Amino acid sequence: MASQKLRPNIYWVGAVDWDRRLFDELIPLPDGTSYNSYFIKGSEKTALIDAVYPPKEGELLKHLKELDVERIDYVIANHAEQDHSGAIPRILELYPDAKVITNPKCKTMLMDLLLIPDEKFTTVEDNGTLSLGDKTLRFLYVPWVHWPETMFTYLEEEKILFTCDFLGSHLATSDFFVTDEAKTYEAAKRYYAEIMMPFRSFVRKNLEKIEDLDIELVAPSHGPVYDNPDFILDAYQDWASGEVKNEVVLLYVSMYGSTGKMVNFLLDALIKRGITVKPFNLTKTDIGELAMALVDTATIVIASPTVLGGPHPDVVHAAYLVNAFRPKARFAAIIGSYGWGGKMVDKIGELLSNLKAEMLEAVLVKGHPRKEDFRSLENLAEKIYNKHKEHRIIKS
Ligand code: FEO
């Protein structure tokens, strides 16, 4: 894709990765992604904001050539992760007078990760500024969204906030600005769930930090640019808030059908009570979809058969991720079956140590569920309903 003009003398010079389907060898990318890099030409100095993923550095260099960029004075590193910083060493080779502008934490990380020498850096303070002549860059420290060194850059005269990962989306699109809000909302929520949700308290703090900033454009380093900043800022406020929805995320694996029957029964019992249920068969689940469902859910139920004395390995994987994502769910329960013993419930419980949710009584069945087991599941559904009601998650 050709370089794009964002405003006079401000250009997108990044790369769209249409074909990438996996990030960090972990996160599915159903819509590809982009690595956004921005070139700013001031009356006296020039700056490049973030670089790109190394396999895509040819595209960044092609754009700089298209724009006849002969000099880069500053390379702004908002984040050390290599999908944005990986091409910086190549930029420094081609533009040897350029200085890398970042915070001290990011500097040490870039020295460790990319072996960039100390003399290439100039560090900036929180709220510090850098003049490009007729344009001024202001730097805001916003740690832990999602690494400890993350920073925003605010272009004062144009009121553009460059947020790197924050507010971004894994969305490869030829539309430079958001045109399809529904699609972007979905991609941004998936991105938030996978990347930012574990750092929800920092998300809230950093949203507060930019609350009074006059922002006309939000330019993240993944996905389209927001010319209606409130669209994404309001969405983040909502996702990072303490509010949960009248929903149950039901994660399960069934081998011979006993756990499956329990899952189906519980699902119906919850739906009968007006609760939205999002079931995920973990042998087939896209973890991005699962992460998204965890953003708002009030309750998580994990259902597993017993395998070699513990949960099914796909349940272990999912429970590990749920624990790492730290969703704001208020309640959780474990259900499942066993043949002759084991510690399936205890082992899942141990995997959920980060979860602040109240654990409801487990329902564990020997072999095929019987009448009394279905009664226990009915009771669990009623308990969940009552908890949602008591905590005003059910509004009526
Ligand atoms: Fe897009 Fe944290 O890197």
Side-chain angles (χ1 to χ4, degrees), residues 23-24 33-35 79-85 145-147 149-150 164-166 170 191 195-196 221-222:
F23 202 87
D24 289 345
T33 191
S34 64
Y35 318 104
H79 178 27
E81 193 166 3
Q82 293 92 324
D83 54 323
H84 309 290
S85 68
V145 288
H146 61 124
W147 280 14
E149 85 302 358
T150 40
C164 202
D165 280 342
F166 198 68
H170 283 311
Y191 188 90
I195 312 286
M196 300 294 164
S221 289
H222 295 291

Side-chain angles (χ1 to χ4, degrees), residues 159 161 163 166-167 178 181 184-185 188 207 210-219 225-239:
K159 302 177 178 160
L161 187 65
T163 55
F166 198 68
L167 311 175
V178 172
E181 286 202 342
T184 308
Y185 184 91
L207 284 172
I210 57 171
E211 210 167 45
D212 296 327
L213 213 54
D214 189 2
I215 304 168
E216 287 184 4
L217 296 179
V218 167
V225 171
Y226 302 91
D227 51 5
N228 171 14
D230 285 346
F231 163 72
I232 190 66
L233 291 168
D234 291 349
Y236 260 58
Q237 289 286 5
D238 177 28
W239 301 331

Side-chain angles (χ1 to χ4, degrees), residues 9 52 117 131 161-162 204 207 211 221 232 235 331 369 382:
N9 290 321
V52 298
S131 174
L161 187 65
F162 298 92
R204 284 200 306 269
L207 284 172
E211 210 167 45
S221 289
I232 190 66
F331 311 101
E382 186 65 14

Side-chain angles (χ1 to χ4, degrees), residues 23-40:
F23 202 87
D24 289 345
E25 301 303 325
L26 173 69
I27 297 168
L29 299 180
D31 302 307
T33 191
S34 64
Y35 318 104
N36 300 335
S37 176
Y38 301 92
F39 178 71
I40 304 175

